[in-house]
Amino acid sequence: ATMASDEPKAKKIKLADVEDEEKKADPNSLFGMGNPLLDICAVVDKDFLDKYTLKPNDQILAEDKHKELFEELVKKFKVEYHAGGATQNSIKIAQWMIQKPHKVGTFFGCIGKDKFGDILKQKAEEAHVDAHYYEQDEEPTGTCAACITGDNRSLVANLAAANCYKREKHLDVEENWKLVEKAKVFYIAEGAAFAKEQDFETKDIKEIAKKAQALPKVNSKRQRVVVLTQGKDETVMAQGDKVETFPVVKIDPKDIVDTNGAGDAFVGGFLSGLVQEKSLDQCVKAGHYSANVIIKRAGCTFPEKPDFK
């Protein structure tokens, strides 16, 4: 009789195990911090490019002569707004890959107390990202204008408020720091030309991955994992003394619309796997999938749901 009563219990445990395997990431378990920009996209005419001396296909930082560009873009053309900036893009894509629960991704950055800041907050909310912005009124919200002519995109970024983040006024505030403590995975982008900076004296991507992996590390309990992407060429991952390569998803060049957000999208896909405790191979595959989706669309945008198995 004892045996009989034990059996259903055993079955229950097995079911619970299965449910655990499929368990999604917890809210606020992924934390990102960077420069939040409001992407303002519009199809423009040649006169507009000429007025602001913009090349049809380019990425530049705004100078004084571009100050009026953002307001004029909004007034003159039909614009689309998206929450942007590299780190915020990656957190947004990770959240899209995960779908539920909402607000797995937390994002910190600095914006202005203005109309563009309000739109950015609304766009982050629509993307189900838990964005907590430090708001100040010395500088306006950072923006990135995407001026589209045909297949070309001329990007003009004005970092403005994005450069004004104050740790002591935001990160160190108790309720914000609690969100940092809830996170398991942290992403803060660094844009330095890493190998050059480190004097690696090699352009061989596998060698660079190996050398970066072997750099001194404060936390010796966990090995560093280095992942390097190379556009359409294979992705390289170094872990321990092992270097692996992963081919990217094949794509017909005529299906490529815009490669600008590809790197952010790869990171977002990779992070979505990492925060769900998937194997690193699976994380790379998720990164390849999301990058493949993003390059077929204009801007760092995506369909309603991912189709990634």
Side-chain angles (χ1 to χ4, degrees), residues 226-264:
V226 175
V227 182
L228 299 175
T229 62
Q230 320 180 72
K232 64 182 187 320
D233 298 326
E234 61 193 12
T235 294
V236 177
M237 179 164 75
Q239 189 188 9
D241 49 13
K242 197 168 76 170
V243 176
E244 291 177 82
T245 59
F246 301 85
V248 302
V249 184
K250 288 266 185 290
I251 184 168
D252 188 325
K254 69 172 190 297
D255 291 335
I256 297 175
V257 175
D258 179 6
T259 57
N260 272 315
D264 301 342

Short mmCIF file of all heavy atoms in Angstrom, two decimals, residues 226-264:
data_model
loop_
_atom_site.label_atom_id
_atom_site.label_comp_id
_atom_site.label_asym_id
_atom_site.label_seq_id
_atom_site.Cartn_x
_atom_site.Cartn_y
_atom_site.Cartn_z
N VAL A 226 34.88 34.34 -24.81
CA VAL A 226 34.99 35.42 -25.80
C VAL A 226 34.27 35.01 -27.08
O VAL A 226 34.51 33.93 -27.61
CB VAL A 226 36.48 35.72 -26.10
CG1 VAL A 226 36.60 36.76 -27.22
CG2 VAL A 226 37.18 36.23 -24.85
N VAL A 227 33.37 35.87 -27.54
CA VAL A 227 32.64 35.59 -28.78
C VAL A 227 32.89 36.76 -29.73
O VAL A 227 32.66 37.91 -29.39
CB VAL A 227 31.12 35.46 -28.53
CG1 VAL A 227 30.39 35.12 -29.82
CG2 VAL A 227 30.84 34.40 -27.47
N LEU A 228 33.39 36.45 -30.92
CA LEU A 228 33.64 37.49 -31.92
C LEU A 228 32.83 37.20 -33.19
O LEU A 228 32.91 36.09 -33.73
CB LEU A 228 35.14 37.54 -32.27
CG LEU A 228 36.09 37.88 -31.12
CD1 LEU A 228 37.54 37.78 -31.58
CD2 LEU A 228 35.84 39.27 -30.58
N THR A 229 32.06 38.19 -33.63
CA THR A 229 31.31 38.01 -34.87
C THR A 229 32.06 38.71 -36.01
O THR A 229 32.84 39.63 -35.78
CB THR A 229 29.89 38.62 -34.76
OG1 THR A 229 30.02 40.02 -34.53
CG2 THR A 229 29.10 37.98 -33.63
N GLN A 230 31.81 38.24 -37.24
CA GLN A 230 32.50 38.81 -38.40
C GLN A 230 31.54 38.99 -39.58
O GLN A 230 31.79 38.50 -40.67
CB GLN A 230 33.63 37.91 -38.87
CG GLN A 230 34.46 37.25 -37.80
CD GLN A 230 35.54 36.39 -38.42
OE1 GLN A 230 36.50 36.88 -38.99
NE2 GLN A 230 35.37 35.08 -38.35
N GLY A 231 30.41 39.63 -39.33
CA GLY A 231 29.46 39.84 -40.42
C GLY A 231 29.01 38.52 -41.02
O GLY A 231 28.54 37.64 -40.31
N LYS A 232 29.21 38.35 -42.34
CA LYS A 232 28.72 37.13 -43.00
C LYS A 232 29.64 35.93 -42.76
O LYS A 232 29.28 34.79 -43.06
CB LYS A 232 28.52 37.36 -44.49
CG LYS A 232 29.79 37.67 -45.27
CD LYS A 232 29.47 37.93 -46.74
CE LYS A 232 30.71 38.07 -47.60
NZ LYS A 232 31.84 38.80 -47.05
N ASP A 233 30.85 36.18 -42.23
CA ASP A 233 31.77 35.08 -41.95
C ASP A 233 31.46 34.45 -40.59
O ASP A 233 30.72 35.00 -39.80
CB ASP A 233 33.23 35.57 -41.99
CG ASP A 233 33.59 36.08 -43.38
OD1 ASP A 233 33.08 35.52 -44.36
OD2 ASP A 233 34.36 37.06 -43.47
N GLU A 234 32.06 33.30 -40.36
CA GLU A 234 31.73 32.51 -39.16
C GLU A 234 31.99 33.28 -37.86
O GLU A 234 32.83 34.18 -37.80
CB GLU A 234 32.52 31.21 -39.17
CG GLU A 234 34.02 31.45 -39.15
CD GLU A 234 34.84 30.21 -39.47
OE1 GLU A 234 34.29 29.20 -39.91
OE2 GLU A 234 36.07 30.27 -39.25
N THR A 235 31.23 32.89 -36.83
CA THR A 235 31.40 33.46 -35.49
C THR A 235 32.41 32.60 -34.74
O THR A 235 32.38 31.37 -34.84
CB THR A 235 30.05 33.49 -34.76
OG1 THR A 235 29.20 34.41 -35.45
CG2 THR A 235 30.17 33.92 -33.32
N VAL A 236 33.30 33.24 -33.99
CA VAL A 236 34.37 32.53 -33.28
C VAL A 236 34.13 32.64 -31.78
O VAL A 236 33.85 33.71 -31.26
CB VAL A 236 35.74 33.16 -33.64
CG1 VAL A 236 36.87 32.49 -32.85
CG2 VAL A 236 36.01 33.06 -35.13
N MET A 237 34.22 31.49 -31.09
CA MET A 237 34.04 31.50 -29.62
C MET A 237 35.24 30.82 -28.96
O MET A 237 35.60 29.70 -29.32
CB MET A 237 32.75 30.77 -29.22
CG MET A 237 32.55 30.74 -27.71
SD MET A 237 30.87 30.32 -27.23
CE MET A 237 30.82 28.56 -27.57
N ALA A 238 35.85 31.52 -28.00
CA ALA A 238 36.98 30.95 -27.25
C ALA A 238 36.56 30.75 -25.80
O ALA A 238 36.01 31.65 -25.18
CB ALA A 238 38.18 31.88 -27.32
N GLN A 239 36.83 29.53 -25.33
CA GLN A 239 36.47 29.17 -23.96
C GLN A 239 37.51 28.19 -23.47
O GLN A 239 37.76 27.17 -24.12
CB GLN A 239 35.07 28.53 -23.98
CG GLN A 239 34.47 28.31 -22.63
CD GLN A 239 33.19 27.49 -22.76
OE1 GLN A 239 32.88 26.98 -23.82
NE2 GLN A 239 32.47 27.34 -21.68
N GLY A 240 38.15 28.49 -22.34
CA GLY A 240 39.25 27.63 -21.90
C GLY A 240 40.32 27.69 -22.99
O GLY A 240 40.61 28.75 -23.54
N ASP A 241 40.89 26.52 -23.35
CA ASP A 241 41.87 26.57 -24.45
C ASP A 241 41.24 26.12 -25.76
O ASP A 241 41.92 25.75 -26.71
CB ASP A 241 43.12 25.73 -24.09
CG ASP A 241 42.72 24.34 -23.58
OD1 ASP A 241 41.54 23.96 -23.74
OD2 ASP A 241 43.60 23.65 -23.02
N LYS A 242 39.91 26.14 -25.80
CA LYS A 242 39.18 25.65 -26.97
C LYS A 242 38.66 26.83 -27.80
O LYS A 242 38.08 27.77 -27.25
CB LYS A 242 38.00 24.79 -26.48
CG LYS A 242 37.39 23.90 -27.55
CD LYS A 242 36.46 22.88 -26.93
CE LYS A 242 35.14 23.53 -26.53
NZ LYS A 242 34.08 22.65 -26.14
N VAL A 243 38.88 26.79 -29.11
CA VAL A 243 38.32 27.81 -30.00
C VAL A 243 37.38 27.11 -30.98
O VAL A 243 37.78 26.17 -31.66
CB VAL A 243 39.42 28.56 -30.78
CG1 VAL A 243 38.81 29.55 -31.76
CG2 VAL A 243 40.35 29.31 -29.84
N GLU A 244 36.11 27.55 -30.98
CA GLU A 244 35.13 26.93 -31.89
C GLU A 244 34.62 27.96 -32.89
O GLU A 244 34.62 29.16 -32.60
CB GLU A 244 33.91 26.45 -31.09
CG GLU A 244 34.17 25.27 -30.19
CD GLU A 244 32.91 24.93 -29.41
OE1 GLU A 244 32.03 24.25 -29.95
OE2 GLU A 244 32.81 25.39 -28.26
N THR A 245 34.18 27.48 -34.03
CA THR A 245 33.58 28.40 -35.01
C THR A 245 32.16 27.94 -35.35
O THR A 245 31.86 26.75 -35.33
CB THR A 245 34.40 28.47 -36.31
OG1 THR A 245 34.47 27.15 -36.86
CG2 THR A 245 35.79 29.02 -36.06
N PHE A 246 31.30 28.91 -35.64
CA PHE A 246 29.89 28.64 -35.96
C PHE A 246 29.52 29.38 -37.24
O PHE A 246 29.65 30.61 -37.29
CB PHE A 246 28.97 29.15 -34.83
CG PHE A 246 29.26 28.52 -33.49
CD1 PHE A 246 30.24 29.03 -32.66
CD2 PHE A 246 28.54 27.40 -33.07
CE1 PHE A 246 30.51 28.47 -31.43
CE2 PHE A 246 28.81 26.82 -31.83
CZ PHE A 246 29.79 27.35 -31.01
N PRO A 247 29.07 28.67 -38.27
CA PRO A 247 28.68 29.37 -39.50
C PRO A 247 27.41 30.19 -39.27
O PRO A 247 26.55 29.79 -38.48
CB PRO A 247 28.42 28.24 -40.50
CG PRO A 247 28.13 27.03 -39.66
CD PRO A 247 28.85 27.21 -38.36
N VAL A 248 27.32 31.36 -39.90
CA VAL A 248 26.11 32.16 -39.74
C VAL A 248 25.01 31.62 -40.65
O VAL A 248 25.27 30.84 -41.56
CB VAL A 248 26.34 33.67 -40.03
CG1 VAL A 248 27.41 34.24 -39.13
CG2 VAL A 248 26.69 33.90 -41.48
N VAL A 249 23.77 32.04 -40.39
CA VAL A 249 22.63 31.59 -41.19
C VAL A 249 22.79 32.17 -42.60
O VAL A 249 22.98 33.37 -42.77
CB VAL A 249 21.29 32.10 -40.57
CG1 VAL A 249 20.10 31.55 -41.34
CG2 VAL A 249 21.21 31.72 -39.09
N LYS A 250 22.72 31.30 -43.60
CA LYS A 250 22.84 31.75 -44.99
C LYS A 250 21.69 32.69 -45.34
O LYS A 250 20.56 32.49 -44.91
CB LYS A 250 22.79 30.54 -45.94
CG LYS A 250 24.05 29.67 -45.90
CD LYS A 250 25.03 30.07 -47.00
CE LYS A 250 26.23 29.15 -47.06
NZ LYS A 250 27.15 29.27 -45.94
N ILE A 251 22.02 33.70 -46.15
CA ILE A 251 20.98 34.65 -46.57
C ILE A 251 21.30 35.13 -47.99
O ILE A 251 22.47 35.34 -48.33
CB ILE A 251 20.87 35.85 -45.58
CG1 ILE A 251 19.74 36.78 -45.98
CG2 ILE A 251 22.18 36.61 -45.47
CD1 ILE A 251 19.36 37.81 -44.93
N ASP A 252 20.27 35.26 -48.79
CA ASP A 252 20.44 35.77 -50.15
C ASP A 252 20.71 37.28 -50.04
O ASP A 252 19.92 37.99 -49.41
CB ASP A 252 19.14 35.51 -50.93
CG ASP A 252 19.29 35.85 -52.41
OD1 ASP A 252 20.02 36.81 -52.72
OD2 ASP A 252 18.69 35.15 -53.24
N PRO A 253 21.82 37.76 -50.65
CA PRO A 253 22.14 39.19 -50.52
C PRO A 253 20.97 40.12 -50.88
O PRO A 253 20.84 41.20 -50.30
CB PRO A 253 23.30 39.38 -51.50
CG PRO A 253 23.92 38.03 -51.60
CD PRO A 253 22.82 37.04 -51.42
N LYS A 254 20.10 39.67 -51.78
CA LYS A 254 19.00 40.57 -52.17
C LYS A 254 17.92 40.69 -51.08
O LYS A 254 17.08 41.58 -51.12
CB LYS A 254 18.39 40.19 -53.52
CG LYS A 254 17.61 38.89 -53.58
CD LYS A 254 16.91 38.77 -54.94
CE LYS A 254 15.93 37.64 -55.00
NZ LYS A 254 16.55 36.30 -54.82
N ASP A 255 17.99 39.80 -50.06
CA ASP A 255 17.05 39.89 -48.93
C ASP A 255 17.55 40.84 -47.83
O ASP A 255 16.84 41.13 -46.88
CB ASP A 255 16.80 38.51 -48.31
CG ASP A 255 16.02 37.60 -49.25
OD1 ASP A 255 15.29 38.13 -50.10
OD2 ASP A 255 16.16 36.36 -49.13
N ILE A 256 18.80 41.28 -47.96
CA ILE A 256 19.37 42.15 -46.93
C ILE A 256 18.88 43.58 -47.14
O ILE A 256 19.03 44.15 -48.20
CB ILE A 256 20.92 42.11 -46.96
CG1 ILE A 256 21.41 40.69 -46.63
CG2 ILE A 256 21.49 43.11 -45.95
CD1 ILE A 256 22.91 40.50 -46.74
N VAL A 257 18.24 44.11 -46.10
CA VAL A 257 17.68 45.47 -46.17
C VAL A 257 18.60 46.46 -45.46
O VAL A 257 18.88 47.55 -45.96
CB VAL A 257 16.26 45.50 -45.55
CG1 VAL A 257 15.71 46.93 -45.50
CG2 VAL A 257 15.31 44.60 -46.34
N ASP A 258 19.10 46.07 -44.28
CA ASP A 258 19.85 47.03 -43.46
C ASP A 258 20.68 46.25 -42.44
O ASP A 258 20.12 45.56 -41.59
CB ASP A 258 18.83 47.93 -42.76
CG ASP A 258 19.47 48.96 -41.85
OD1 ASP A 258 20.70 49.06 -41.86
OD2 ASP A 258 18.73 49.67 -41.14
N THR A 259 22.00 46.37 -42.53
CA THR A 259 22.86 45.58 -41.62
C THR A 259 23.24 46.35 -40.36
O THR A 259 23.98 45.85 -39.52
CB THR A 259 24.17 45.16 -42.34
OG1 THR A 259 24.81 46.35 -42.81
CG2 THR A 259 23.89 44.22 -43.49
N ASN A 260 22.72 47.59 -40.21
CA ASN A 260 23.14 48.42 -39.08
C ASN A 260 22.94 47.80 -37.71
O ASN A 260 23.77 47.93 -36.84
CB ASN A 260 22.43 49.77 -39.12
CG ASN A 260 23.22 50.75 -39.97
OD1 ASN A 260 24.42 50.85 -39.84
ND2 ASN A 260 22.54 51.44 -40.85
N GLY A 261 21.81 47.15 -37.50
CA GLY A 261 21.52 46.62 -36.16
C GLY A 261 21.96 45.18 -35.96
O GLY A 261 21.65 44.57 -34.94
N ALA A 262 22.72 44.63 -36.92
CA ALA A 262 23.06 43.20 -36.86
C ALA A 262 23.84 42.82 -35.61
O ALA A 262 23.55 41.82 -34.96
CB ALA A 262 23.83 42.79 -38.11
N GLY A 263 24.84 43.65 -35.25
CA GLY A 263 25.66 43.34 -34.07
C GLY A 263 24.85 43.40 -32.78
O GLY A 263 24.92 42.50 -31.94
N ASP A 264 24.02 44.45 -32.65
CA ASP A 264 23.16 44.59 -31.46
C ASP A 264 22.20 43.40 -31.37
O ASP A 264 21.92 42.89 -30.28
CB ASP A 264 22.32 45.87 -31.53
CG ASP A 264 23.17 47.12 -31.64
OD1 ASP A 264 24.37 47.04 -31.32
OD2 ASP A 264 22.63 48.17 -32.03
#
